[in-house]
Amino acid sequence: LALQLSADCKVAVLSKGELTQGSTYWAQGGMAAVLDEHDTVASHVADTIAAGGGLCRSDVVEFVVGRSRSVVDWLVGLGVEFDRQDAAPGSEYHLTREGGHSQRRVIHAADATGRAISEVLVENALAQSNIDIFTKRVGVDLIINDGRCEGAYVLDHKAGNVEVFQARFVVLATGGASKAYLYTSNPDGASGDGIAMAWRAGCQIGRAHV
């Protein structure tokens, strides 16, 4: 998101640990996108909704799948090197077929796709003069004034003190809450505290399906 925002924006990115300690870095297999000439957005949408077992919002699926190719092109433009059919310049991507998909549409970088994407995104973010990175920061609570979020209280884990980050706009990209369970292979940072911050501020954090 920080890379997508205008260069005129002053952006602060806060992370509990180092930027590569999230789940993205450890993701292996690949990401699905409509890249093959025999594939279609409609087919990918149908496969996703079928695999979702009634839990998918069709409008969200259509939005994400419809933009999958442009996202891949953006990542390649930043420097992500996905596997290709051969070493020839401009060779087509090597696509695999995984569970739930009726077509070969999973693009990958060996078996460490998340690492390849994460490292390139971090490298690009560090190179931007309008983006400041703050690591080892843990969100405590959002600052709400007259119904508007104006920043956050943040614990500097290394210094041991709470800082105030003021902002006109705040985005929570919190990850999951798998560390609430006794056993998980997810990183320690996935503890759900960001979700709790949103809930305390009045955000809807889930939707009932009936």
Side-chain angles (χ1 to χ4, degrees):
L1 173 62
L3 290 170
Q4 289 278 1
L5 293 172
S6 169
D8 294 332
C9 296
K10 188 68 174 176
V11 183
V13 176
L14 280 64
S15 174
K16 282 184 181 177
E18 299 303 322
L19 293 181
T20 55
Q21 287 185 351
S23 295
T24 298
Y25 186 84
W26 302 103
Q28 295 177 299
M31 54 186 286
V34 180
L35 300 167
D36 188 270
E37 62 179 6
H38 302 296
D39 197 6
T40 65
V41 169
S43 173
H44 192 175
V45 168
D47 288 347
T48 303
I49 291 176
L55 297 177
C56 297
R57 283 180 50 182
S58 59
D59 58 332
V60 175
V61 174
E62 291 168 2
F63 181 91
V64 174
V65 172
R67 289 158 177 76
S68 59
R69 185 179 191 108
S70 64
V71 170
V72 169
D73 291 341
W74 180 70
L75 290 172
V76 171
L78 290 179
V80 179
E81 296 183 356
F82 293 107
D83 289 358
R84 296 183 179 269
Q85 295 285 5
D86 54 57
S91 173
E92 294 186 355
Y93 296 115
H94 182 273
L95 304 175
T96 62
R97 177 179 171 183
E98 296 183 356
H101 295 286
S102 60
Q103 303 287 333
R104 297 174 70 89
R105 61 170 68 105
V106 178
I107 188 172
H108 57 95
D111 199 29
T113 309
R115 178 174 179 173
I117 294 174
S118 182
E119 288 181 342
V120 167
L121 290 177
V122 169
E123 179 183 348
N124 278 268
L126 291 174
Q128 303 303 312
S129 60
N130 68 311
I131 301 176
D132 291 319
I133 308 294
F134 298 88
T135 59
K136 301 189 186 311
R137 301 304 205 282
V138 180
V140 177
D141 239 335
L142 296 174
I143 300 172
I144 307 297
N145 186 19
D146 291 331
R148 177 175 174 80
C149 183
E150 297 183 343
Y153 297 109
V154 178
L155 172 66
D156 182 335
H157 191 66
K158 187 174 182 179
N161 58 279
V162 174
E163 302 170 315
V164 175
F165 279 79
Q166 293 180 296
R168 287 191 300 157
F169 304 99
V170 176
V171 175
L172 293 177
T174 68
S178 55
K179 290 300 287 188
Y181 297 90
L182 181 60
Y183 300 108
T184 177
S185 60
N186 282 203
D188 289 341
S191 52
D193 43 305
I195 298 173
M197 288 170 61
W199 180 76
R200 288 194 297 270
C203 294
Q204 178 177 307
I205 60 172
R207 189 177 93 153
H209 292 266
V210 294

